[in-house]
Amino acid sequence: MEHEKAKWLSGSTAVCALFSGAEMLVAHVGDSEAVLCRDDRALRLTRQHNCHDDDERARVEAAGGWLTGTRTKRVNGVLGVSRAFGDIEYKLWKSRQWGV
């Protein structure tokens, strides 16, 4: 039973791209990145959502979270990325703390 609960509480990251004619829309969450290769050059299309960036740290702290570690930062001492889908216990943490 505990194994099933662990699967339910797990999270992940993702990248997706939508092409329509000559247009491309790229979306991502977490530390997954999209890179377009053209003429032997790599063009970075996304920026990782991780705790090392000031804006992501501010967003985590504004939601009532905290960061631990100096070199390897972790959200609430566990997560290595500041955005992901899933990780239900962290999404619910804010509502439990703030009564939202």
Side-chain angles (χ1 to χ4, degrees):
M1 185 64 157
E2 196 63 31
H3 178 68
E4 291 300 315
K5 181 180 177 185
K7 286 196 293 188
W8 172 254
L9 296 176
S10 295
S12 190
T13 65
V15 172
C16 67
L18 175 66
F19 297 91
S20 177
E23 294 183 338
M24 174 178 58
L25 177 67
V26 178
H28 76 109
V29 63
D31 59 357
S32 296
E33 289 192 76
V35 177
L36 175 68
C37 296
R38 181 176 284 170
D39 299 324
D40 294 328
R41 297 185 70 193
L43 173 63
R44 185 184 212 175
L45 300 178
T46 60
R47 180 177 64 92
Q48 292 182 8
H49 295 126
N50 64 47
C51 313
H52 299 281
D53 299 326
D54 290 339
D55 58 336
E56 288 297 309
R57 180 172 22 86
R59 192 182 71 76
V60 167
E61 291 171 351
W66 64 91
L67 300 179
T68 59
T70 53
R71 262 186 15 169
T72 308
K73 293 184 174 27
R74 296 279 180 215
V75 176
N76 297 356
V78 179
L79 298 177
V81 296
S82 55
R83 299 184 194 215
F85 61 89
D87 294 317
I88 301 300
E89 62 185 305
Y90 295 99
K91 308 271 186 313
L92 296 175
W93 184 83
K94 180 178 175 181
S95 63
R96 285 194 309 262
Q97 294 299 314
W98 293 358
V100 177

